[in-house]
Amino acid sequence: MTMAQPLDVSRYRSERHIPWAPLSAEEIEARRLVQINAETVTHTAASDFPGHYGPEQDDSWVVERFRQGLKVDFHHNKPHDAAFSLVGIDASIANAFRRILIAEIPTLAIEDVFFLDNTSVIQDEVLAHRLGLIPLTGGREGLDWLHWFHRAPSKDAFTMQTASDGDETTPVSTHNDYNTIVMTLDIECRWATVEKDGWDGKKKAAEGDVAPEEKYIKSNVYASDLVFHPQGKQSEYFSGENAIRPVNPEILIAKLRPGHRIHLRCHCIKGVGSDHAKFSPVATASYRLLPQITITQPILGADAKKFARCFPRGVIGYEPDAATGEQKAVVKNPMKDTVSRECLRHDEFKGKVKLGRVRDHFIFSVESTGQFESDELFLDAVRLLRAKAERFKRHLTELEEGR
Amino acid sequence: MSREQYTPPTLQDRNAGPSSSSQQSQTQQTTSQPYTGGGFNLTAASLDALGDDSRPIHYLCGDCDARVTLKKGDAIRCKECGYRVLYKERTNRMIQFQAR
Ligand SMILES: [Zn+2]
């Protein structure tokens, strides 16, 4: 990527006594940078808003210009892990997407656990909590069809009470096939016997075999032991490969010994991450700004080798220098940089390198927990923000019309 | 409700208990509204079918681990080995937890 040397646009302009004039292409590129110095980070705030550079520079927001500046570029796109660059938007919007991904896109999770029996060593409340955190998946169509379950506001949750005060119209739901998924877990551990399993667990134990799987049957409870029971209309949406199931069937839920039994029934509902992290559709959704390394004076020979070692592998490459014939350090892939600023600690690179980050180049990383695919989740976040903006606009119109 | 006011549910209460929810579900089913039967109805009747709530009570022998069934008035003694320490099993009543 070629980009002008970072400069302080406003100071540069006043020093040269440039009257109000539109910014040059070079200056427009330069103002995109956050400058990273040895001890400080400067120019963190965006300045591409009307009036900042005088009346001649047109920074008004125009759809067509935004459309031309916006760029989406996928680096990898796997169902459980997507990384892409989102270029040409403001940090507030990028951050809104990130926060919506984490806290506002609904998913299905276990909410209530009814224990009929639990003689294992793991306590009921701990086991219930563990079950809640298991990511579930199922047919997309069915998950979209599933309704919200509105629970009665808790008597001790002040925030929930105040939230419901203004909105008395939301009725408290009763569990039905539109809003609740039922799953059960019924498992009992026992000794392996010749009649049932073909080998004698007690004999193995006497012989000194200590592996629990050899001695006992069902000594490990896995997420795959959860059984989905479709209710009413649910069988239309969640049958066959669309059945509700844990994303990762090999999650270890509990360990049992002969005679231990867990028998429980779970109610799963749709919820959002702002209510509880178990409802968050992403393991993490984050972004970082694209690092920018500008070599202002050639770094040659042994210095170039040392310079390359200041960065992660692959960031700096070599090229033969035209003037001296020595190897010259060149920036190969700034995307891989961690912006450690190591190169700013060495005297030999003083004044030869400038570090920065591109303020409107967001490298997103979305890791889905598996209920939805990572790239779809981002689209859902965009849709949700759009819906919120439309709702806000509608309320503003109503306010204006005095309704 | 304060701790003092709370009265634990008795067997009779529980049989009379499933008033609101099950009646509601029946009316809903007849008007082809959301299905609330089966898995959602954790009422006394359905729970008794799931968790065995019948008397007598089962205990575990402290010595030989045998399952001992005692009725009211029986001697507290293991029927297999005669040991006099018996452990009560966990309740077979349903206990509800929030997965939070
Ligand atoms: Zn005994």
Side-chain angles (χ1 to χ4, degrees):
Chain A
M1 182 183 289
T2 57
M3 202 172 273
Q5 177 188 341
L7 46 82
D8 185 333
V9 179
S10 49
R11 200 204 293 158
Y12 167 85
R13 291 174 74 82
S14 63
E15 276 168 8
R16 296 188 174 206
H17 308 291
I18 300 174
W20 299 123
L23 295 182
S24 67
E26 197 185 35
E27 288 166 331
I28 282 180
E29 276 301 295
R31 73 170 179 179
R32 284 177 71 202
L33 286 187
V34 174
Q35 292 178 21
I36 295 169
N37 315 308
E39 306 281 344
T40 55
V41 178
T42 56
H43 300 79
T44 49
S47 60
D48 54 343
F49 47 84
H52 192 81
Y53 295 99
E56 293 302 318
Q57 168 65 21
D58 180 17
D59 277 326
S60 55
W61 197 86
V62 185
V63 170
E64 201 42 54
R65 192 154 54 204
F66 173 76
R67 204 170 273 156
Q68 275 166 17
L70 186 70
K71 218 174 78 193
V72 182
D73 180 19
F74 270 89
H75 306 305
H76 58 258
N77 187 13
K78 290 176 275 181
H80 293 190
D81 180 19
F84 57 90
S85 285
L86 191 61
V87 191
I89 59 166
D90 192 72
S92 54
I93 309 292
N95 197 42
F97 290 146
R98 184 190 63 85
R99 291 185 58 160
I100 288 172
L101 275 168
I102 292 170
E104 288 178 42
I105 293 177
T107 67
L108 183 75
I110 293 172
E111 172 71 356
D112 286 304
V113 184
F114 304 93
F115 283 87
L116 298 157
D117 200 0
N118 173 23
T119 48
S120 73
V121 292
I122 184 164
Q123 299 89 333
D124 291 4
E125 44 273 70
V126 179
L127 183 55
H129 178 241
R130 276 178 80 72
L131 288 166
L133 294 172
I134 295 171
L136 303 173
T137 188
R140 274 302 305 269
E141 197 195 341
L143 291 171
D144 289 338
W145 160 80
L146 215 62
H147 295 196
W148 294 97
F149 179 81
H150 302 285
R151 60 167 52 249
S154 161
K155 284 214 165 54
D156 20 70
F158 175 74
T159 45
M160 276 183 78
Q161 276 205 311
T162 46
S164 67
D165 278 347
D167 190 17
E168 293 291 335
T169 50
T170 307
V172 174
S173 307
T174 50
H175 288 288
N176 60 47
D177 56 337
Y178 283 77
N179 57 29
T180 309
I181 301 285
V182 178
M183 293 185 104
T184 58
L185 179 67
D186 186 4
I187 193 162
E188 185 166 7
C189 182
R190 59 177 173 80
W191 285 94
T193 56
V194 178
E195 307 90 72
K196 286 179 184 160
D197 316 297
W199 76 91
D200 190 355
K202 284 184 180 172
K203 202 177 130 206
K204 283 204 173 192
E207 286 164 2
D209 198 335
V210 285
E213 292 78 12
E214 293 290 310
K215 294 188 283 185
Y216 320 125
I217 298 300
K218 290 280 178 196
S219 59
N220 289 340
V221 185
Y222 292 107
S224 55
D225 294 318
L226 283 165
V227 183
F228 166 54
H229 297 273
Q231 307 287 324
K233 242 175 117 63
Q234 286 169 9
S235 45
E236 292 172 27
Y237 293 95
F238 306 113
S239 53
E241 60 171 15
N242 289 332
I244 299 289
R245 62 192 182 276
V247 177
N248 309 288
E250 285 172 11
I251 296 174
L252 186 62
I253 298 173
K255 290 200 171 194
L256 305 181
R257 286 297 175 264
H260 289 183
R261 183 184 184 215
I262 294 176
H263 185 194
L264 52 85
R265 173 171 287 253
C266 309
H267 282 182
C268 319
I269 61 166
K270 215 157 136 170
V272 289
S274 55
D275 178 30
H276 193 288
K278 69 183 173 188
F279 291 120
S280 186
V282 289
T284 181
S286 63
Y287 59 74
R288 62 194 179 100
L289 296 179
L290 176 73
Q292 164 98 11
I293 305 155
T294 317
I295 299 170
T296 52
Q297 280 174 48
I299 298 168
L300 304 167
D303 273 0
K305 280 231 162 68
K306 188 178 177 184
F307 186 70
R309 280 202 302 274
C310 292
F311 297 90
R313 193 165 295 148
V315 176
I316 302 295
Y318 306 107
E319 248 174 38
D321 186 41
T324 60
E326 278 187 290
Q327 288 292 89
K328 183 177 79 170
V330 288
V331 181
K332 233 169 69 187
N333 188 2
M335 188 87 74
K336 284 185 173 175
D337 189 22
T338 55
V339 199
S340 66
R341 308 192 219 184
E342 174 67 11
C343 64
L344 301 180
R345 297 178 63 239
H346 301 281
D347 287 337
E348 49 266 62
F349 309 130
K350 274 255 158 69
K352 291 187 175 176
V353 62
K354 272 252 169 202
L355 295 185
R357 283 188 187 267
V358 184
R359 193 184 294 109
D360 63 351
H361 187 133
F362 298 90
I363 305 167
F364 264 86
S365 163
V366 181
E367 286 177 41
S368 166
T369 53
Q371 193 160 120
F372 305 107
E373 290 187 1
S374 301
D375 55 344
E376 278 181 272
L377 282 173
F378 184 76
L379 292 180
D380 282 342
V382 175
R383 248 175 245 133
L384 228 154
L385 183 63
R386 190 196 159 106
K388 284 178 153 208
E390 274 165 2
R391 195 188 318 150
F392 183 57
K393 219 167 126 182
R394 201 170 60 239
H395 285 312
L396 281 181
T397 320
E398 284 174 11
L399 209 64
E400 207 169 54
E401 290 168 1
R403 268 189 282 147
Chain B
M1 194 197 294
S2 76
R3 229 177 223 264
E4 288 71 27
Q5 282 173 295
Y6 176 74
T7 45
T10 63
L11 201 64
Q12 275 183 333
D13 285 346
R14 292 180 58 199
N15 287 333
S19 49
S20 57
S21 60
S22 72
Q23 276 167 16
Q24 213 174 9
S25 74
Q26 276 156 14
T27 50
Q28 275 174 339
Q29 272 167 34
T30 49
T31 53
S32 80
Q33 281 301 302
Y35 167 82
T36 51
F40 306 116
N41 270 353
L42 285 166
T43 57
S46 70
L47 281 174
D48 286 349
L50 286 161
D52 181 27
D53 202 33
S54 60
R55 315 291 136 140
I57 311 286
H58 303 290
Y59 297 87
L60 289 172
C61 172
D63 193 31
C64 72
D65 208 29
R67 202 172 157 87
V68 183
T69 309
L70 293 185
K71 278 200 249 358
K72 200 177 171 187
D74 281 358
I76 301 167
R77 196 141 196 230
C78 172
K79 276 158 190 145
E80 302 291 324
C81 70
Y83 197 65
R84 289 186 189 275
V85 175
L86 300 181
Y87 290 97
K88 186 157 186 155
E89 285 192 327
R90 180 200 156 106
T91 176
N92 51 26
R93 294 228 171 110
M94 184 272 283
I95 309 172
Q96 180 180 354
F97 284 91
Q98 275 200 316
R100 275 165 190 262

